[in-house]
Amino acid sequence: MNENGDMLKGWKAIADYFQSNERTVRRWQGLPVRKVGGSIYTTRSELDEWVKSGGRQAAALATPEEALPQAAPEPASSTPSWKVRVIAVFSLLLLALVLALTMNEATPQRIITPGRALALLPHARIAGTDHTPMGGFLSSFTGELFLFFRERTGFAVFDLRTLHKTYVSPDQFAVEIFTSLPGHRFAYFTHPDPPAVYRLDVKTREVSKFWSNGQMPFSLTLAPDGKFLFIGAKVKHIVRINTDTRDEVRFPLDGHPKAIEFTTIAGQDQLWIAHQGYGRIGSFGADAIETIDPWTGRFLRDSFLKPHVGASFVVLPRVQRIWLDGNDVCLGKQYHTAACPHSPGNILHVLSPDHSLLFTVGFPSKNGAFLFPSPDEAKVIMASDGLLRTLDSRSGQIIELADTKATQVLWAPDGSAIYLPTSDRKLLMAPVMSESCLAGLESAMHVWNADGHSQDSFAASHLTLRAGVTFVPGLIGQAFQFNGNTSADADASKMHRFLQLGGLFSFFLKRNKAKSSQSVADWLDSDGTRLRVSIEHSGVLAIEFAPAGGKQVIQRRSTAILSVGKWHHVALNLKGQGWQKPLILTLYLDAVPQGSIEIPIPPPTQPSLSQASLTFGKSGSAEGFTGSLDEITVHTHETSESVLRTFTQSWLAGTCAQQALRNLPAN
């Protein structure tokens, strides 16, 4: 452990801080470390924040055998080496026999801890709602979006080409659960008073009572051809109904079917059921996943969960994955035994079709997660506590999205966009962007995308817009507009880390007119450290760094000129050279390097002690910027020149804007 205050250098120092070993710590994903030269650096305060966010809790579940301290070497033995080898082989065979007798099946487990990568997925508010939506569906049969509400307000229908909104059956229905198929005419939902299942004709928008047994059903799902509806009833059975003749068949269950889903895997139709109070494992019952034949009711397989079935689960037959939200899975083992330990925290479990546990994904959450697969099953979007995370459906790798307050994710049938009903009564649209449009945008600290709001999509440092700052059409969606006398500012204390360890500060800029020198962005720390970006009268871009203590100001000017009325990408890439060495700050204009300066490393500062501000536009006595800023980002890692070039060219060429706006209505 080094002596430089809050800073830690090297894996050994980090391992000592956690009272663990280097091999274990190196395997923890999401750990906030920074490679400078050939060494690894971080700070105690960053590690503490990571632990508080749940990162350590999830990482501690990974590879238990490697979390043990390395054993000290045994003293030399006089036992002949051939005897040692015989004893070792015998011990391994005995261990294998014990495992075979004590485990019903092999359950390879690995945990993938979510990283802090941010997909800069711009989203646009395309409509408002009069009530808080609980969910809905996109109908490819009519090209409309149907939104349901838990209040007795009926449901809203949006024409996505014109965004014309119509309320159907107002003051009649409060929807609890629903099911639909994109290309089919009928959808089904439940209403609690009186409790029944209703059928909605998406073409005529007529609603009719379809089925009732006097109790509110738990769950609904449709067979792929829409000819059979399956109802998870509260009296521990599944009801299968022919949607044409309404003939019923009932299958008894050992638990309450909280959620059900019809799927076909390897040519076999299956009904997956998430149970509450599953009676197969004791008098109390526990939560479990069970698979039955949907046509005969024959039991196929089960797996036990403890302590509860989570918010949702999805079956992905193409990729042979079953994703479910729950705290623990104990496959084929007895409840409340040493073989079925409790796993703390919120964990997604990914199973194979035979119920084998493939891996788990830990994530910080208070309320569990809802899962929404893409049409091609390549991705799963998880909605939890207002945050959206996309996951690769096969590997579980996470890319974190903006805080949208989404209550559900509705995929466009072609997978090109998602629609997001939100808890604050909005309907958002977000495009699914290509990798070139998202290249290199990892480990974001701040993201201000200016799409009709001043919120920081990653942290809580929302911009305060002073009088005169407006929104105008941007490079994508909307942008901030400054008139020379206006400004926007935010708390930027975390940027102290940017100047300690390096990173990327970038934005898109459009200059409206040539005038005297204009201040574009000004970061000022409480110790007097200052970093300013400005435009000179000639159109030259300039950066100015003033270290704490009134030392000499360091400047660099671009060789290229900013054109009036044209979008440009500005990036400040800060790269470390090694421990206690100055950092190299390189100015890029449209991904072309314009020159570099060396800046000294400021002393480590606790974030709580650093009071810094970041101001866009007018700052102090300097003339303010006149023009537009869009997609402002601050990242904790520098970006390679090739990745920065790919990203910038894709955006400035309009490729990313076309992807983003292709599903927006014409108006």
Side-chain angles (χ1 to χ4, degrees):
M1 201 173 290
N2 64 68
E3 300 178 358
N4 193 17
D6 192 44
M7 193 74 68
L8 296 174
K9 176 186 178 183
W11 288 114
K12 186 179 185 305
I14 297 170
D16 290 345
Y17 187 70
F18 284 114
Q19 296 183 349
S20 185
N21 60 77
E22 292 183 54
R23 188 177 183 186
T24 297
V25 173
R26 283 173 180 267
R27 292 173 59 85
W28 290 351
Q29 296 192 25
L31 197 66
V33 298
R34 179 76 178 89
K35 188 172 183 180
V36 180
S39 300
I40 294 295
Y41 297 93
T42 187
T43 62
R44 293 181 179 83
S45 54
E46 289 172 317
L47 295 179
D48 291 342
E49 288 182 9
W50 181 70
V51 170
K52 291 178 182 178
S53 70
R56 172 69 188 278
Q57 182 184 50
L61 297 173
T63 323
E65 66 272 15
E66 294 204 9
L68 299 174
Q70 300 295 316
E74 296 288 341
S77 171
S78 60
T79 306
S81 60
W82 67 270
K83 289 186 178 182
V84 173
R85 288 195 293 271
V86 169
I87 293 171
V89 171
F90 178 77
S91 300
L92 288 174
L93 290 174
L94 181 61
L95 176 61
L97 178 61
V98 171
L99 289 176
L101 292 174
T102 57
M103 297 184 65
N104 291 327
E105 60 181 313
T107 55
Q109 299 186 41
R110 60 189 175 91
I111 185 164
I112 300 176
T113 308
R116 298 185 63 189
L118 181 78
L120 189 64
L121 194 69
H123 56 270
R125 180 183 184 276
I126 59 174
T129 64
D130 299 323
H131 308 281
T132 304
M134 57 78 64
F137 64 93
L138 280 161
S139 172
S140 57
F141 189 85
T142 63
E144 295 172 320
L145 185 148
F146 290 76
L147 278 186
F148 293 113
F149 308 92
R150 284 200 171 92
E151 301 94 346
R152 190 184 281 267
T153 56
F155 50 92
V157 182
F158 290 87
D159 184 324
L160 293 177
R161 292 161 296 189
T162 65
L163 289 184
H164 178 71
K165 176 177 60 180
T166 304
Y167 277 91
V168 178
S169 301
D171 303 324
Q172 293 185 35
F173 295 105
V175 176
E176 292 289 333
I177 54 175
F178 62 91
T179 186
S180 65
L181 295 170
H184 288 259
R185 179 169 177 170
F186 297 106
Y188 299 84
F189 66 89
T190 63
H191 173 66
D193 185 23
V197 177
Y198 292 82
R199 179 157 74 176
L200 164 66
D201 186 326
V202 298
K203 184 176 181 180
T204 65
R205 300 180 183 174
E206 294 178 353
V207 177
S208 59
K209 189 174 180 179
F210 183 76
W211 177 88
S212 176
N213 70 344
Q215 292 184 317
M216 190 67 180
F218 272 122
S219 48
L220 303 172
T221 190
L222 281 163
D225 59 5
K227 293 183 179 180
F228 291 91
L229 175 69
F230 295 82
I231 302 172
K234 283 191 176 180
V235 288
K236 291 190 176 182
H237 62 262
I238 294 290
V239 181
R240 189 187 73 210
I241 304 178
N242 186 308
T243 55
D244 292 328
T245 66
R246 305 201 185 191
D247 293 336
E248 294 184 21
V249 176
R250 298 184 178 223
F251 303 133
L253 299 172
D254 289 298
H256 299 288
K258 182 179 180 182
I260 57 178
E261 185 166 352
F262 186 103
T263 190
T264 301
I265 299 178
Q268 181 185 40
D269 291 342
Q270 301 175 4
L271 192 66
W272 284 69
I273 306 166
H275 284 288
Q276 281 185 327
Y278 192 54
R280 282 179 179 266
I281 55 175
S283 57
F284 307 92
D287 289 1
I289 294 290
E290 180 186 13
T291 310
I292 67 171
D293 186 311
W295 310 118
T296 66
R298 180 172 60 91
F299 168 81
L300 299 176
R301 200 172 183 85
D302 60 11
S303 54
F304 307 141
L305 284 77
K306 77 182 248 306
H308 71 279
V309 171
S312 69
F313 80 106
V314 293
V315 181
L316 308 176
R318 295 183 193 175
V319 297
Q320 302 281 291
R321 297 287 189 272
I322 294 84
W323 283 75
L324 58 105
D325 171 36
N327 278 8
D328 194 29
V329 171
C330 297
L331 301 169
K333 301 181 179 67
Q334 292 300 309
Y335 189 53
H336 280 312
T337 68
C340 185
H342 173 59
S343 294
N346 293 280
I347 301 175
L348 297 179
H349 297 81
V350 182
L351 310 181
S352 66
D354 66 356
H355 288 234
S356 297
L357 179 61
L358 298 176
F359 57 86
T360 56
V361 181
F363 65 98
S365 173
K366 297 178 181 178
N367 303 306
F370 290 90
L371 304 171
F372 306 94
S374 61
D376 62 1
E377 298 184 3
K379 298 181 179 69
V380 174
I381 291 187
M382 177 178 70
S384 176
D385 297 339
L387 290 174
L388 295 180
R389 297 173 176 89
T390 54
L391 307 98
D392 182 279
S393 63
R394 289 182 174 85
S395 69
Q397 295 296 334
I398 291 180
I399 300 177
E400 194 164 283
L401 304 186
D403 181 357
T404 62
K405 300 181 181 178
T407 57
Q408 194 182 13
V409 177
L410 307 176
W411 284 88
D414 63 357
S416 62
I418 55 176
Y419 295 86
L420 307 170
T422 69
S423 59
D424 53 356
R425 300 183 179 184
K426 297 175 184 176
L427 178 60
L428 310 178
M429 192 285 290
V432 177
M433 310 285 280
S434 65
E435 290 187 9
S436 64
C437 297
L438 306 174
L441 297 177
E442 286 96 16
S443 300
M445 278 195 300
H446 303 292
V447 175
W448 297 283
N449 56 30
D451 287 327
H453 60 79
S454 60
Q455 295 179 356
D456 183 345
S457 297
F458 188 80
S461 298
H462 306 315
L463 283 174
T464 300
L465 305 183
R466 306 302 175 187
V469 179
T470 58
F471 295 98
V472 296
L475 182 67
I476 178 171
Q478 293 180 298
F480 297 119
Q481 174 77 0
F482 298 85
N483 63 16
N485 295 310
T486 56
S487 65
D489 53 77
D491 171 40
S493 300
K494 289 184 178 180
M495 280 191 69
H496 197 91
R497 183 180 190 274
F498 172 78
L499 292 179
Q500 283 180 324
L501 301 176
L504 177 72
F505 176 35
S506 72
F507 49 85
F508 289 93
L509 174 150
K510 184 168 71 172
R511 182 186 182 207
N512 281 0
K513 60 182 180 179
K515 55 185 300 185
S516 57
S517 181
Q518 308 171 33
S519 177
V520 178
D522 190 2
W523 180 79
L524 179 63
D525 202 355
S526 56
D527 64 1
T529 303
R530 186 171 217 144
L531 178 63
R532 173 178 285 177
V533 182
S534 60
I535 304 173
E536 299 185 351
H537 176 74
S538 61
V540 168
L541 191 67
I543 55 173
E544 178 183 291
F545 177 78
K551 298 179 181 178
Q552 183 178 1
V553 175
I554 308 169
Q555 296 179 323
R556 174 64 64 185
R557 292 175 173 81
S558 67
T559 55
I561 303 296
L562 288 164
S563 302
V564 174
K566 179 182 177 182
W567 283 105
H568 294 275
H569 185 247
V570 178
L572 279 67
N573 210 24
L574 191 60
K575 185 176 183 180
Q577 302 182 88
W579 180 243
Q580 296 292 357
K581 293 183 179 179
L583 288 84
I584 301 297
L585 179 63
T586 303
L587 172 65
Y588 289 86
L589 181 58
D590 298 336
V592 178
Q594 303 295 307
S596 302
I597 60 175
E598 282 193 353
I599 64 173
I601 301 175
T605 302
Q606 293 283 355
S608 59
L609 302 178
S610 176
Q611 301 296 321
S613 63
L614 178 61
T615 302
F616 298 97
K618 185 173 179 59
S619 177
S621 60
E623 183 73 22
F625 171 61
T626 301
S628 305
L629 295 179
D630 201 0
E631 309 301 332
I632 305 167
T633 62
V634 183
H635 302 269
T636 59
H637 288 279
E638 79 271 9
T639 301
S640 70
E641 195 169 305
S642 60
V643 170
L644 188 61
R645 186 183 308 112
T646 299
F647 168 79
T648 305
Q649 290 174 351
S650 297
W651 280 79
L652 293 179
T655 304
C656 303
Q658 290 170 10
Q659 291 179 22
L661 303 178
R662 61 187 167 193
N663 279 8
L664 283 177
N667 64 341

